[in-house]
């Protein structure tokens, strides 16, 4: 009996598909654990929050780090996700030859409404497995930020974060690696009803 299984792609094969024109930015695809995953459409609250968050990161950090918005990162599990925001070491020129690797990354942020469960499970374990020290999930439904830190692997081999802290939209939080930089969360959440 023949076993049918999906074709998994390496990062190199994924890049080849892009260079050959099989995948374009219009396709809104990211590579997660070797699978091509269709990204969810982003509504106006999501877009508003992403724009405001990246602007605040730029304002607070200046040239002390690289702020990347909805751009790829490379993870060892044949994954090339496109988080909503990333703070990476160095400057923009450091990422001309390649997207940031886990060791370059200080913080990954996903902004979430319709993809909340996916971001709290699949994306969280993906980032923890890669050893990314800090993962923030901006939960638009609850108007709060879930701040995860200290990645670890349990005895069953599953990855997670030891610490989870909830910060509300009226609070300020320090940016990992830049404790002097306080982000006022009220500046990133849209007012009124949220829908992605």
């Amino acid at each position: 009996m023949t076993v049918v299984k999906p074709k998994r792609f390496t990062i190199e094969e994924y890049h080849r598909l892009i260079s050959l024109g099989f995948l374009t930015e219009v396709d809104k695809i990211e590579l997660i654990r070797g699978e091509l995953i269709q990204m969810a459409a982003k509504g106006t609250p999501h877009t508003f929050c992403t724009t405001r968050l990246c602007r605040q990161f730029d304002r607070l950090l200046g040239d002390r780090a690289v702020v990347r918005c909805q751009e790829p990162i490379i993870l060892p599990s044949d994954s090339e996700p496109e988080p909503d925001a990333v703070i990476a070491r160095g400057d923009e020129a450091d990422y001309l030859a390649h997207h940031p690797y886990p060791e370059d990354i200080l913080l990954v942020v996903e902004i979430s409404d319709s993809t909340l469960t996916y971001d709290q499970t699949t994306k969280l374990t993906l980032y923890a497995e890669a050893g990314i020290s800090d993962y923030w999930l901006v939960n638009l439904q609850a108007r709060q930020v879930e701040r995860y830190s200290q990645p670890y692997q349990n005895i069953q081999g599953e990855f997670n974060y030891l610490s989870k802290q909830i910060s509300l939209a009226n609070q300020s939080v320090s940016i990992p690696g830049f404790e002097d930089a306080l982000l006022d969360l009220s500046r990133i959440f849209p007012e009124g009803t949220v829908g992605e």
Side-chain angles (χ1 to χ4, degrees):
M1 183 165 134
T2 303
V3 176
V4 178
K5 61 181 184 175
K7 160 70 176 139
R8 297 204 182 268
F9 295 90
T10 65
I11 289 177
E12 294 75 25
E13 290 169 331
Y14 176 62
H15 288 176
R16 199 170 322 126
L17 289 174
I18 293 169
S19 68
L20 293 172
F22 286 106
L23 296 174
T24 67
E25 285 186 16
V26 175
D27 294 313
K28 305 269 187 228
I29 298 287
E30 61 184 353
L31 184 70
I32 304 294
R33 299 193 188 285
E35 295 181 347
L36 302 177
I37 304 295
Q38 182 82 45
M39 292 188 283
K42 293 171 174 58
T44 53
H46 185 289
T47 304
F48 173 92
C49 188
T50 303
T51 301
R52 292 294 292 270
L53 178 64
C54 290
R55 182 174 293 150
Q56 291 301 312
F57 280 162
D58 275 334
R59 187 180 65 77
L60 291 166
L61 299 178
D63 291 333
R64 297 192 289 168
V66 178
V67 176
R68 294 170 56 99
C69 294
Q70 298 179 330
E71 296 176 24
I73 60 175
I74 294 177
L75 305 182
S77 57
D78 277 329
S79 297
E80 192 172 297
E82 297 184 19
D84 291 302
V86 168
I87 297 176
R89 292 181 173 83
D91 62 48
E92 290 82 1
D94 295 331
Y95 306 109
L96 277 171
H98 61 82
H99 301 306
Y101 297 124
E103 59 269 20
D104 303 317
I105 297 169
L106 300 168
L107 174 66
V108 168
V109 182
E110 295 286 358
I111 296 167
S112 189
D113 184 1
S114 61
T115 59
L116 184 60
T117 301
Y118 183 74
D119 293 336
Q120 288 172 324
T121 55
T122 303
K123 286 287 185 80
L124 182 142
T125 58
L126 185 72
Y127 297 141
E129 181 180 355
I132 292 173
S133 61
D134 289 272
Y135 170 47
W136 288 4
L137 190 139
V138 178
N139 183 332
L140 291 177
Q141 294 176 13
R143 292 181 59 81
Q144 66 188 27
V145 176
E146 300 171 16
R147 297 183 297 134
Y148 299 91
S149 61
Q150 298 175 281
Y152 78 102
Q153 183 178 19
N154 69 19
I155 198 163
Q156 290 83 24
E158 299 160 339
F159 291 90
N160 206 324
Y161 286 91
L162 283 172
S163 176
K164 174 185 178 181
Q165 293 181 299
I166 302 294
S167 299
L168 305 178
N170 63 351
Q171 295 180 306
S172 293
V173 295
S174 60
I175 299 171
F178 304 94
E179 276 56 38
D180 61 321
L182 280 180
L183 174 65
D184 178 355
L185 296 180
S186 69
R187 300 182 71 109
I188 67 167
F189 282 97
E191 292 297 324
T193 306
V194 173
E196 215 170 343

